[in-house]
Amino acid sequence: MRLLALLLLCLALPVHAEGFISRLLHKPVPGGVAVLQLGSKASAPQVRFQGKSVLTVKEDGQQWIAIIGLPLTSQPGTAQALVDGQAVEFQIGSKHYREQRITLKNPEQVNPNPANLKRIERELAEQTAAYQQFSPRQPSNLLFDKPVAGPLSSPFGLRRFFNGEERNPHSGLDFAAKTGTPIKAPAAGKVILIGDYFFNGKTVFIDHGQGLISMFCHLSAVDVQLGQELPRGGLLGKVGSTGRATGPHLHWNVSLNDARVDPAIFIGAFTP
């Protein structure tokens, strides 16, 4: 009987117990993150999803995990990643995102003129290239610090209507904060892009490593230089309302394998 009880206990235990990172980040919904358990081989597995390289880390010093960003356009159901060239299936769940309706005084910020459209296209290409960078560095931490001291305002994924016209969903997380509030790096990283953009205003991109990238926009001031290495908690700028903004706040994007995902996941504030 004792032997039988031990056998049943062993069968009930998972082969690999989930570690802290997996429990924190595994939110496999559109705009979320899927964590795949990859075993304890000596070298890091090479993982790709939708043609993009994927972040891999060793969890608890024991087994490799892949941390996959899922675009908002992902469909619920079975998805596939390539692990060392072999297909590995995982499931994407569903999530409903609310609507947000915003009134802007400047109609140019809803329907820009041809000259501004050319500017927007040029700026979008710059930012797209930044999101697609994939450096070999390991992220310093995956439980992020909040970049500002302030309450969350607009959540990620909102379907947005400006002056009654639908535009792209809200691709980040907004913090309500006064102009001049210091913005700090949620994890260590390198400044890979600084710009003053039509929609985003004064903007900073930070590469945390392996396709994990933060973008901060609507800043009133930028306090870093291109190529600068920032420690966790390092000052990068100050809150403002530059670009398309109705008031002072910080808009923070997090991108994984070139997919914008919910930053709330990384600060333990995700709501299903």
Side-chain angles (χ1 to χ4, degrees):
M1 288 296 294
R2 191 174 188 182
L3 181 60
L4 178 60
L6 285 171
L7 178 59
L8 290 172
L9 177 62
C10 289
L11 290 172
L13 290 172
V15 176
H16 296 295
E18 279 192 349
F20 171 76
I21 296 172
S22 295
R23 293 194 300 274
L24 172 74
L25 300 184
H26 187 57
K27 307 291 186 284
V29 296
V33 174
V35 178
L36 303 187
Q37 312 292 323
L38 302 179
S40 54
K41 58 175 65 177
S43 58
Q46 300 299 305
V47 183
R48 295 181 70 80
F49 179 66
Q50 296 183 343
K52 307 288 178 67
S53 295
V54 167
L55 166 64
T56 57
V57 298
K58 210 164 195 180
E59 186 169 36
D60 298 332
Q62 295 179 8
Q63 68 166 329
W64 292 100
I65 57 173
I67 303 172
I68 303 174
L70 304 174
L72 266 171
T73 54
S74 300
Q75 295 299 310
T78 302
Q80 246 183 30
L82 290 178
V83 180
D84 292 331
Q86 300 297 312
V88 174
E89 292 186 343
F90 63 95
Q91 295 298 311
I92 299 177
S94 59
K95 180 173 169 61
H96 173 72
Y97 291 101
R98 296 188 290 108
E99 292 183 3
Q100 180 185 45
R101 295 180 181 271
I102 299 170
T103 300
L104 296 172
K105 294 179 181 179
N106 182 359
E108 270 294 304
Q109 293 182 329
V110 182
N111 294 298
N113 63 39
N116 279 329
L117 282 173
K118 287 185 178 179
R119 174 188 171 185
I120 291 164
E121 288 175 6
R122 185 172 62 250
E123 293 174 351
L124 178 61
E126 278 186 15
Q127 294 171 81
T128 298
Y131 280 128
Q132 291 175 345
Q133 292 193 30
F134 191 90
S135 63
R137 70 191 298 158
Q138 283 279 331
S140 66
N141 51 288
L142 290 164
L143 173 58
F144 281 178
D145 300 327
K146 290 182 180 180
V148 294
L152 305 182
S153 50
S154 295
F156 173 87
L158 288 171
R159 288 182 59 203
R160 297 185 303 171
F161 295 80
F162 291 96
N163 296 359
E165 298 186 35
E166 187 167 11
R167 293 296 184 264
N168 290 333
H170 194 228
S171 60
L173 191 63
D174 288 354
F175 291 82
K178 294 181 180 179
T179 298
T181 302
I183 304 169
K184 298 180 180 180
K190 180 180 179 180
V191 179
I192 57 172
L193 182 64
I194 296 172
D196 191 350
Y197 298 125
F198 183 84
F199 287 129
N200 290 353
K202 293 180 179 178
T203 300
V204 174
F205 278 70
I206 295 178
D207 175 11
H208 303 295
Q210 292 195 56
L212 179 57
I213 291 168
S214 283
M215 185 274 282
F216 310 85
C217 66
H218 305 308
L219 278 58
S220 61
V222 172
D223 295 312
V224 288
Q225 296 180 338
L226 192 62
Q228 182 175 336
E229 292 284 348
L230 266 181
R232 179 180 183 177
L235 179 68
L236 64 92
K238 298 178 180 67
V239 170
S241 56
T242 55
R244 185 168 68 183
T246 56
H249 70 284
L250 172 66
H251 174 96
W252 173 36
N253 271 20
V254 172
S255 187
L256 258 177
N257 47 269
D258 195 24
R260 259 51 84 206
V261 298
D262 190 350
I265 295 170
F266 292 83
I267 58 173
F270 176 79
T271 55

